[in-house]
Structure formats: C-alpha cells, structure tokens
Amino acid sequence: MNNPSATRVLVIGYVWPEPRSSAAGGHMMQILESFLTQGWEITFGSPAAIGEHKADLGALGIRECAIELNNSSFDEFIRELAPDIVLFDRFMMEEQFGWRVEKQCPDALRVLETSDLQSLRDARQQRLKDYLKDHPAADDFGPLFAPALDAEFQLMADTDLAKREIAAIYRCDISLMISDVEIQLLTEHFKVPAALLHWCPLMVAPATEAFVPYEDRAHFLSIGNFRHAPNWDTVLWMKNGIWPLIRQRLPGAQLHIYGAYTPPKATALHNPAQGFHVMNWAEDALQVMSGARICLAPLRFGAGIKGKLADGMLCGTPSITTPIGAEGMTDEQPWPGLIAQSATALADAAVALYQDRQAWTEAQEHGRLLLAQRYSASLHGPALVERLQHCRDELAQHRRNNFTGSMLRHHLHKSTQYMAQWIEAKNRTR
C-alpha cells in the first residue's frame, strides 16, 4: 500500500474466497484479478473463520485483515484505510457494515457482489419441497422449470429474504449480477432501476491447450460444494432417480462425485458396486473434469449461473443439465450438451451423448464458442472497471437519482446501528 494515487478497494467478504471449492469463490477471484490489472490496491477483510481451501491473497499482493461484527474497531480500521471503493460480498455484509462504511467514508463507492439472488434460490427450494410433498414419486420436474419471471416474482415477493436482499441492492451504488435473467427479474418485476445493476458473469480466458479427446475419456462426473443446498439435492436425485437408469443401460459406467466439505451423509452414499463414487474434494477440478466424458448437473433448484458448467466448457466436457442449470448461461447459442426435465429424459440424454462420438464432439465445440462469446475475461473485466469508474465520476448525481436507496439507508442504518451498538455494549459487560 504505497501508491497514494492508486484506487483503494476494500472487499468485505462473507467468507474468505475458495476458488477451488465454489463458483462464488472463483467469481470473487476473477473480480479481484480485474482490479489488480488496473494497479488498484486491495484489502480483503472478513469476519468469517478461515476455510481449509482459502486462496492465498497475500501472494497476489492483496492485504488480508480479519474484521469483527458489531465492533467499533471496524470504524477506526476503515477510516484509516480510506477506501475509494467498498465491495460487499453478499447482502448480509452490507447489512452488517454498510452503515459503518457510509458514516466513516461517505464518498466511497458502495458495490454489492450478489453472487446469485439468494432469495430466488431459497424460494425455488421451497417450491421443490412443496412439489415433492404433493408428488413424492415424481420423475418429471418440468412444472418447476416452466414458470415465467412473473411467477418467480410472485413466489419471492412476500418473503423476508427478498425484502432484505433487494433493499441492500437499493442501498448500494452498483450491484454486480452474475445472471442477466436475474437482472430482467429485478428490473421488470421488482422495478429496480437498471442504473443500479451491472451484468458481471463468470470471466474466463479461452483454453489454450487441445482438449482431451473422446477416446481418452471415461465415466461421468458431478462436482460442487456440498454446503450448497442445490448441489446436495442434485446428489440425492442422481442417487435415487437418475443414476440407476443410466446403469441399466451402461452397466460398466461410473459416476465420480467431487465436492468440498463432504459430510458423512454424502460419504454414506458411496457404493462402488453401483458405480456411485463419492470422491470428496478435488484439488484440481479442471484436471478431473478433463478426464470425464460427461458432466452431470441435474439441478432441480438454484439461481445465478453454474461454475461447474462453465468449467465443463473450459475443459471440453459436454454437460447434461436441466433448464435451471442452463438458465442465464446462453443467449441463443446452442447448449454444449443436452437439457432435460425428468429423470428418465436426463438418463436417456446422458447415455446417448456418452455413446455418440460425433454429437459429443459437436457439443464440445459449442462449449468453446459459448465461452468465447459470453464469458471472455478480456471483455467483462474492463467493462466492470469502466462501469465502476463512471459511477465514481457521477456519484453525487447517481445517488440523487436513487432516492429510494437513500431513504432505505436512512431508516435501516439507524436501526442497524443501534442494534450493533447495543450488542457491542453487551459484549463489554461479559
């Protein structure tokens, strides 16, 4: 931190980034790399415990600082740092620290990294639970994947989580949205001004090495952090509904399931006799993805866009997924694999693509083109920096135009401030 003219950025992380454990961690690292290319000075702080797969931010020249919830020590810390930009990783961090940032550094640009709309994901999870309650032997989940955005709005609108999350979006100057479908939902149905949102999808560089060919690959792969509820639901659906159908057609096939923080309930599903292998964490996700012939990602609920499917494209591994899995990932481009809505159709698609070399090779090429057209780091990184700089230049007028956000900050920050100060005072008396 020795260049007084460099833009200073403080990132307040919900967790310490783990790019090899989750797509959210990977996306955060892509954002940080976009800032580093500009010569910006970055400090990353989090109140979370350090996970076992945490990225080495210090090696990138990023300062790391532990911060505390409900503690005025943060006020002195941020006042001394005097950041030009503060990025909140998830809306819960804006709720906790937003009022302190505004009080100590009122001119700092406040940015929210949403990762995905948690309120949308949770509403879809509840819809799945209700559907399974009414249809315990369901095979086809098409009714869950069909709703228009207005139906999603109706599902979310009365929930406390949506009110909290969208209020945080209003209170920030810019919110980074990984899915353009979620931008459409927010602008058209929640009436969030487009000026408060910026599309910032996964940002990747194109593959420079030749893909592992069809003949040198074998088996199916599924990957994802087990702490993420959609991933655990996917594992259960594969175990009980989809994988037995695939094994009937391909008796020698194997499914390798990788994921960080594997719980005992997942390892209990490991059954080599059924070709169902729970492999725990993959130190190099791209390496294991490159050796698989098919990536299985039959998600029944979720939000945002899926890092595992982007990794599949990056490795030339076609994927079998649902409309939820593919949501927000294409824009008229062909899907690099197949999309289906029922266990039977997903199994049929997986078997067909696994055995058809020509169709598999075409799907691989579709993935290469989709990454280049939609997820280029050389395009989205500079676009993000340009948007933030423009917002900083027009900050006073930008905030004037967002009266709703100003009003929400006034009321919520007062109540949050008093609650935090009460908790801090209570902690001192212990």
Side-chain angles (χ1 to χ4, degrees):
M1 303 291 175
N2 52 17
N3 183 357
S5 64
T7 297
R8 297 181 299 279
V9 181
L10 170 64
V11 180
I12 303 177
Y14 178 65
V15 295
W16 295 94
E18 296 190 5
R20 295 185 295 171
S21 298
S22 71
H27 193 234
M28 174 54 71
M29 295 304 296
Q30 292 162 4
I31 292 170
L32 295 176
E33 288 163 7
S34 297
F35 295 166
L36 289 171
T37 61
Q38 302 297 311
W40 292 1
E41 294 184 346
I42 305 172
T43 300
F44 195 106
S46 176
I50 293 177
E52 58 187 284
H53 307 306
K54 171 187 164 296
D56 186 356
L57 301 179
L60 299 174
I62 298 173
R63 177 188 176 195
E64 300 179 6
C65 292
I67 55 178
E68 293 186 53
L69 298 172
N70 305 309
N71 194 309
S72 57
S73 62
F74 178 84
D75 300 344
E76 182 178 351
F77 161 72
I78 194 171
R79 189 166 56 245
E80 181 180 341
L81 185 64
D84 302 296
I85 299 172
V86 177
L87 189 150
F88 304 100
D89 174 28
R90 265 55 83 81
F91 77 92
M92 297 81 81
M93 293 297 94
E94 188 278 336
E95 286 182 331
Q96 287 287 340
F97 294 98
W99 69 272
R100 294 185 184 274
V101 171
E102 182 171 16
K103 188 172 183 179
Q104 303 300 329
C105 302
D107 296 328
L109 183 72
R110 296 184 290 270
V111 183
L112 176 63
E113 156 63 344
T114 59
S115 184
D116 63 12
L117 279 180
Q118 184 176 328
S119 52
L120 174 61
R121 175 175 13 109
D122 282 21
R124 285 173 168 174
Q125 182 177 15
Q126 186 58 51
R127 181 169 63 195
L128 173 63
K129 290 178 180 178
D130 294 342
Y131 187 79
L132 289 173
K133 185 177 180 180
D134 295 336
H135 308 85
D139 170 83
D140 187 355
F141 292 88
L144 301 186
F145 306 142
L149 289 180
D150 181 62
E152 303 286 27
F153 168 74
Q154 299 297 332
L155 194 67
M156 298 166 63
D158 293 331
T159 66
D160 289 344
L161 194 60
K163 293 169 185 174
R164 289 173 57 197
E165 188 167 30
I166 293 168
I169 289 173
Y170 268 104
R171 288 193 297 267
C172 289
D173 299 310
I174 290 287
S175 289
L176 309 185
M177 306 300 302
I178 201 168
S179 167
D180 54 359
V181 172
E182 293 178 5
I183 290 179
Q184 184 181 0
L185 174 64
L186 290 175
T187 55
E188 294 183 3
H189 299 280
F190 287 95
K191 307 305 179 183
V192 175
L196 300 182
L197 307 174
H198 178 75
W199 182 46
C200 183
L202 297 174
M203 298 179 278
V204 300
T208 56
E209 298 181 2
F211 294 139
V212 177
Y214 174 88
E215 293 81 5
D216 294 339
R217 295 175 182 245
H219 306 310
F220 296 82
L221 175 138
S222 183
I223 192 165
N225 190 323
F226 282 104
R227 290 178 174 174
H228 192 52
N231 293 336
W232 174 237
D233 178 74
T234 293
V235 171
L236 292 177
W237 193 24
M238 289 190 297
K239 174 70 173 180
N240 299 318
I242 300 169
W243 185 245
L245 298 176
I246 294 175
R247 282 279 286 191
Q248 287 175 10
R249 306 264 294 278
L250 299 173
Q254 297 181 28
L255 172 59
H256 298 162
I257 300 173
Y258 293 88
Y261 303 105
T262 310
K265 64 181 180 180
T267 55
L269 301 179
H270 180 72
N271 191 325
Q274 298 175 353
F276 198 90
H277 299 264
V278 179
M279 309 292 288
N280 299 315
W281 181 66
E283 186 170 352
D284 188 336
L286 297 183
Q287 182 181 35
V288 296
M289 181 73 79
S290 294
R293 190 172 290 180
I294 299 289
C295 172
L296 284 181
L299 290 134
R300 292 193 288 192
F301 71 95
I305 61 177
K306 313 306 177 291
K308 60 177 72 63
L309 296 175
D311 284 349
M313 299 177 215
L314 194 60
C315 297
T317 306
S319 59
I320 304 296
T321 190
T322 63
I324 287 290
E327 180 183 78
M329 296 204 69
T330 67
D331 183 16
E332 306 298 329
Q333 300 96 336
W335 183 253
L338 294 168
I339 300 170
Q341 301 187 136
S342 69
T344 300
L346 286 158
D348 289 345
V351 171
L353 192 59
Y354 191 89
Q355 295 180 312
D356 188 335
R357 185 185 190 283
Q358 181 176 347
W360 186 93
T361 303
E362 291 174 356
Q364 186 180 73
E365 186 60 23
H366 290 157
R368 187 201 304 270
L369 293 174
L370 181 55
L371 278 186
Q373 294 171 11
R374 195 167 173 84
Y375 300 103
S376 171
S378 63
L379 171 67
H380 292 292
L384 170 61
V385 169
E386 181 180 357
R387 182 70 185 277
L388 297 185
Q389 290 176 328
H390 175 76
C391 194
R392 285 186 64 201
D393 292 340
E394 306 291 336
L395 190 55
Q397 187 60 48
H398 181 80
R399 288 179 175 171
R400 201 171 293 122
N401 293 341
N402 181 22
F403 179 78
T404 300
S406 176
M407 179 175 60
L408 287 169
R409 287 198 309 275
H410 173 77
H411 289 288
L412 183 94
H413 285 349
K414 289 296 183 184
S415 60
T416 305
Q417 174 182 347
Y418 297 145
M419 176 61 74
Q421 290 173 337
W422 178 80
I423 293 172
E424 183 175 8
K426 184 178 179 181
N427 288 340
R428 287 199 201 101
T429 62
R430 288 179 179 176

